[in-house]
Amino acid sequence: QVQLVESGGGLVQAGGSLRLSCAASGTSFTINAMGWYRQAPGKQRELVATTTSGGSTNYADSVKGRFTISRDNAKNTVYLQMNSLKPEDTAVYYCNAEGWDYSRVLRESFRSWGQGTQVTVSP
C-alpha cells in the first residue's frame, strides 16, 4: 500500500505564495504520475496540476502562469509552488499518485490520495 503525506498548507493574503509538498511511502513501488487536485466548499474536486515520471506537466487553465509543479523522483515527492494566490484558490488540496505496487506476489496498479491540506487565501 502506497501512502501519501501532504504538508505546506495554511493561510495567506491574496498575492502571496505557498509551497505544498507530498511524499509517497510504501514497501516497493514505482510512480508513473503525481499531481494535485483541489476541492472548494460546495464544489467538485478539480485537477490543479500533474506531472509524469518523464517530466511532462499539465495545468488547469486557472493556475497556469501562477503555479508550478515539480517532482523529486529519488524522494518520491511532488511539490506545488503557488504564487500570486487569489481568494478563489481557497480549497482543500489533495495529492494524488498512480503507479505500480510490487509489495505482493503479483504487481498491482495503485492510485492513492493524500489526506488533504487546507489552503486559505484572504482578500
Side-chain angles (χ1 to χ4, degrees):
Q1 187 175 5
V2 179
Q3 296 182 331
L4 304 178
V5 177
E6 301 139 338
S7 61
L11 173 64
V12 66
Q13 288 186 331
S17 298
L18 283 174
R19 189 189 192 212
L20 305 183
S21 300
C22 171
S25 63
T27 303
S28 179
F29 61 96
T30 57
I31 297 177
N32 297 328
M34 297 186 81
W36 292 94
Y37 292 71
R38 67 186 181 186
Q39 187 166 18
K43 295 187 178 181
Q44 290 187 331
R45 189 173 298 188
E46 62 177 3
L47 180 148
V48 176
T50 60
T51 180
T52 68
S53 57
S56 63
T57 58
N58 181 48
Y59 294 93
D61 288 342
S62 59
V63 306
K64 283 181 180 177
R66 300 188 297 121
F67 291 10
T68 302
I69 189 169
S70 60
R71 179 173 167 179
D72 185 332
N73 290 327
K75 296 182 179 180
N76 290 315
T77 299
V78 66
Y79 306 95
L80 185 68
Q81 178 65 44
M82 304 185 293
N83 298 328
S84 302
L85 282 161
K86 304 175 181 180
E88 50 263 43
D89 294 318
T90 295
V92 177
Y93 284 69
Y94 296 91
C95 177
N96 170 268
E98 300 178 16
W100 295 102
D101 186 341
Y102 298 89
S103 62
R104 301 186 180 184
V105 175
L106 297 178
R107 180 183 74 169
E108 296 180 348
S109 63
F110 75 87
R111 188 178 192 194
S112 297
W113 291 91
Q115 78 284 359
T117 185
Q118 177 70 46
V119 171
T120 302
V121 184
S122 63

